[in-house]
Amino acid sequence: MKNTYKTIMTSAVLISSAAFTTQAMAQAYATLEVSSNKMGRGVTVSDDGPSVTGNLRKDFAKGFYVGIIGANVHLPPSQYTEQTYEVDVYGGYTGETAGGIRYDMGYMYYAFPAADDDLSGTDYSEIYGVIGYKGFDFEIDYTLDKKDNDGSDANEHDIYYKLSYNGKTKRGIGYGFTAGHVDSQTGSDYTHYQASISKDGFKLALDDNDIKDFGLGDPRVSVTWTKHFGF
């Protein structure tokens, strides 16, 4: 079975490297994330169930970094796949100009060691770029290498666009809004949106998209707890 929506899970376990530019100046980070429903690019990638994500990252001089991420996932469409796990490795370069413009660019390889044979085009790679100013961030991800079971490269060169804004009230309550679009070479394009509020490591989010198949387009509410460690 050809997995039409296999491109949608790519940011499911990616704890955005841009987010680390706001962390304290430490050389290494560990992040633990527990979610009631893991959302990736507006779609559940845990079959509406809980997910745990871990991220380890090492920063080097002049803005370079490398990291590894692991998470349990259930790739959509879940009717044709089984529970599995994901291990990603990434590296990049990030910084900020004197005028306050943030930038981040890098490479990520997504691996699914235990994915079942019916899931086509599992392991793949992307390059990404983020530019931000104040509360705004604009991101573009480009698929470099993705093969189907039959060896086809039809899913290569997919592009993902995301515009987000994050702020905080005087009472310390965070809020965020995100709009993203997947430009798929197979014609399975879609747009998604998210609105969220956060406080003391907890985030309440509402996600929606315009996908019509497999029940993936229903609005979903999730609660996520995130803890960052610097050392």
Side-chain angles (χ1 to χ4, degrees):
M1 186 268 176
K2 187 178 181 63
N3 184 10
T4 306
Y5 294 105
K6 63 191 169 188
T7 63
I8 61 181
M9 51 66 54
T10 53
S11 65
V13 300
L14 173 58
I15 302 173
S16 175
S17 57
F20 283 99
T21 63
T22 63
Q23 299 297 315
M25 294 300 293
Q27 292 185 334
Y29 307 96
T31 301
L32 176 65
E33 177 187 286
V34 181
S35 180
S36 64
N37 190 358
K38 190 67 177 175
M39 304 299 297
R41 296 181 180 175
V43 177
T44 176
V45 293
S46 58
D47 194 23
D48 293 316
S51 179
V52 178
T53 302
N55 186 359
L56 294 175
R57 167 173 157 159
K58 171 67 175 177
D59 285 357
F60 299 93
K62 299 183 179 180
F64 293 97
Y65 61 87
V66 295
I68 184 169
I69 300 171
N72 64 292
V73 294
H74 194 163
L75 306 181
S78 59
Q79 296 93 321
Y80 304 100
T81 63
E82 297 178 353
Q83 183 78 20
T84 185
Y85 63 93
E86 177 174 354
V87 178
D88 309 327
V89 292
Y90 64 91
Y93 176 77
T94 186
E96 184 173 338
T97 70
I101 298 175
R102 303 180 304 276
Y103 54 88
D104 189 356
M105 62 197 75
Y107 169 88
M108 177 168 284
Y109 184 83
Y110 303 85
F112 306 89
D116 59 88
D117 293 336
D118 291 333
L119 181 62
S120 62
T122 50
D123 295 4
Y124 65 99
S125 61
E126 286 186 340
I127 55 174
Y128 58 86
V130 184
I131 187 167
Y133 182 70
K134 295 186 176 179
F136 290 94
D137 285 288
F138 178 67
E139 177 180 350
I140 298 179
D141 304 337
Y142 182 78
T143 304
L144 293 175
D145 181 43
K146 180 182 292 185
K147 299 294 184 182
D148 289 340
N149 285 342
D150 60 4
S152 169
D153 61 358
N155 285 280
E156 293 182 355
H157 314 305
D158 290 353
I159 305 176
Y160 174 64
Y161 307 91
K162 183 176 74 173
L163 177 65
S164 60
Y165 179 81
N166 291 279
K168 185 175 289 187
T169 70
K170 293 181 179 179
R171 295 181 177 272
I173 299 175
Y175 56 89
F177 304 95
T178 297
H181 179 76
V182 173
D183 184 2
S184 172
Q185 297 303 300
T186 61
S188 54
D189 298 11
Y190 74 94
T191 301
H192 73 90
Y193 307 93
Q194 183 189 84
S196 66
I197 57 174
S198 58
K199 177 70 172 177
D200 298 332
F202 289 90
K203 183 176 80 170
L204 175 66
L206 172 65
D207 285 86
D208 198 7
N209 62 62
D210 60 4
I211 297 176
K212 305 301 181 183
D213 300 332
F214 305 111
L216 295 175
D218 298 332
R220 284 169 166 86
V221 175
S222 61
V223 177
T224 302
W225 174 77
T226 303
K227 179 68 174 179
H228 298 286
F229 306 89
F231 50 90

